[in-house]
Amino acid sequence: MRLVTALLISLITSAPKPMEYIYHPPESANDVRYTYHWEILRTALERTKEKWGPYRMVPSEFMTERRQAFELKHATGKLTVMYLSTTPDFERTLIPIRIPVDKNLGGYCVFLIRKEDRARFADIQSLDDLRKFRFGLGLGWIDVDILRASNFKVVTGSSYEGLFEMLAQKRFDIFLRAAVEVLDEYDQRKSRLPGLYIEDDITFYYPLPMYFWFPKTPEGKRLAARAEEGMRMMIADGTYDRIFDKYQRWKIERLHLKQRKIFRIGNPNVGPETPFSDKRLWFDPQTYK
């Protein structure tokens, strides 16, 4: 009996320790913004189990985007993977996987507005026309600096849920929402906030490559290397596109992105290392089939 017990203990203690991916959880019960992204990561880790061994995906405590970046930069262990857009600071201080997780679909934004304001958007012809409106975004969101760099008026709110209320209460005119997010958000809240409306004709675009980021430590490099290997396997065999279609096709079609007028601004955070040349990594409404 002692021998059996000793063997079991030996097997348990010699088993490889799972690689731990600690990620940020949803911000509310209605927050489904990142379900797709974590499925991409989970699938990549599953694909690499034979080579890299076991893994765990563990939700962290709630953190603002700023706090997430702080924890990762300081390698505190409270977070080991973050999903955010590129910035020069992140490129210097963290390890990215330079594959835009959502194929930059999040760079195609639509307007969540008040239904009573629909007529105000009917004759928009230029970026200057759009600069007359107040845009709502979350405090500390990377998009705030992108819009302000192009001279747009931005009102910030400290609560994700509170931003919907702020729009309804006329604190700003447009809640700028990514095409990947807006339909779920609207469908979940339309009965409680019936005055909200998804504007029909305009897409507001800027390049916004959203990457998985890791601490600049030996373990962070290992976590990133495994995830990138799995993601590139998925791109090569079509798994990545299939998951993208599963989550995003209905949004692209329901928002009729191909037919909308597009207004474009730049993103001062995008550097020369951005993989624009690999067209497999980028969504384009005009070529998407």
Side-chain angles (χ1 to χ4, degrees):
M1 185 66 179
R2 288 180 181 175
L3 180 58
V4 172
T5 303
L7 285 170
L8 285 171
I9 292 171
S10 175
L11 286 170
I12 292 168
T13 55
S14 63
K17 184 180 178 184
M19 296 174 70
E20 199 159 81
Y21 291 78
I22 305 175
Y23 66 98
H24 191 253
E27 293 188 23
S28 73
N30 290 328
D31 185 3
V32 296
R33 289 175 293 170
Y34 306 119
T35 306
Y36 157 78
H37 312 91
W38 301 130
E39 181 165 333
I40 289 287
L41 179 59
R42 187 175 292 104
T43 305
L45 301 179
E46 282 291 326
R47 292 292 299 275
T48 52
K49 278 172 75 173
E50 185 175 345
K51 175 179 175 180
W52 291 83
Y55 70 91
R56 294 177 66 221
M57 287 183 64
V58 182
S60 71
E61 62 184 272
F62 169 75
M63 302 178 189
T64 63
E65 291 183 356
R66 193 169 293 171
R67 166 87 184 280
Q68 291 177 55
F70 175 88
E71 300 293 348
L72 225 58
K73 287 177 189 176
H74 292 82
T76 62
K78 294 181 180 179
L79 199 76
T80 62
V81 58
M82 176 177 74
Y83 171 77
L84 275 180
S85 175
T86 184
T87 70
D89 179 50
F90 290 172
E91 293 281 357
R92 285 191 306 270
T93 59
L94 299 172
I95 298 172
I97 299 174
R98 289 197 186 91
I99 299 172
V101 179
D102 66 356
K103 292 176 169 260
N104 196 50
L105 180 57
Y108 292 85
C109 299
V110 298
F111 299 161
L112 193 60
I113 62 172
R114 292 178 293 276
K115 193 178 295 184
E116 66 192 60
D117 288 345
R118 281 179 292 176
R120 298 178 65 192
F121 295 87
D123 297 319
I124 300 295
Q125 300 297 326
S126 68
L127 289 172
D128 280 338
D129 290 339
L130 289 174
R131 289 189 176 98
K132 298 171 185 175
F133 296 90
R134 296 166 300 162
F135 287 73
L137 289 168
L139 182 67
W141 291 5
I142 288 166
D143 313 62
V144 173
D145 291 336
I146 296 171
L147 265 68
R148 285 178 174 163
S150 289
N151 299 314
F152 286 89
K153 291 176 278 192
V154 180
V155 176
T156 59
S158 58
S159 161
Y160 165 66
E161 287 296 335
L163 285 161
F164 298 93
E165 302 283 352
M166 289 173 69
L167 173 62
Q169 294 166 10
K170 302 187 177 183
R171 298 279 299 280
F172 49 78
D173 307 302
I174 298 167
F175 188 8
L176 190 65
R177 307 310 300 135
V180 293
E181 301 167 336
V182 69
L183 290 169
D184 286 322
E185 293 173 331
Y186 174 74
D187 288 345
Q188 290 166 355
R189 295 168 180 84
K190 61 186 177 184
S191 59
R192 182 169 58 86
L193 297 169
L196 301 190
Y197 186 79
I198 299 173
E199 198 280 330
D200 296 303
D201 298 316
I202 294 170
T203 302
F204 190 80
Y205 172 82
Y206 41 92
L208 192 73
M210 303 286 286
Y211 299 150
F212 291 134
W213 300 89
F214 300 85
K216 212 167 197 177
T217 63
E219 180 61 11
K221 290 177 184 176
R222 200 166 78 96
L223 294 171
R226 173 178 183 163
E228 179 168 2
E229 184 174 314
M231 290 169 76
R232 294 202 178 277
M233 290 166 67
M234 292 161 63
I235 291 167
D237 69 9
T239 303
Y240 206 109
D241 282 344
R242 286 192 290 275
I243 295 174
F244 181 87
D245 283 350
K246 180 176 82 169
Y247 281 92
Q248 316 301 0
R249 177 174 290 279
W250 71 274
K251 301 173 187 177
I252 294 162
E253 293 175 349
R254 186 169 151 192
L255 290 170
H256 51 89
L257 290 183
K258 186 175 284 193
Q259 285 76 43
R260 287 173 174 258
K261 292 185 291 188
I262 297 184
F263 294 92
R264 301 174 185 269
I265 63 171
N267 179 350
N269 294 324
V270 173
E273 60 284 317
T274 309
F276 286 119
S277 60
D278 189 345
K279 301 303 181 186
R280 300 174 305 165
L281 307 183
W282 301 85
F283 167 78
D284 181 338
Q286 299 307 313
T287 59
Y288 183 70
K289 296 178 181 178

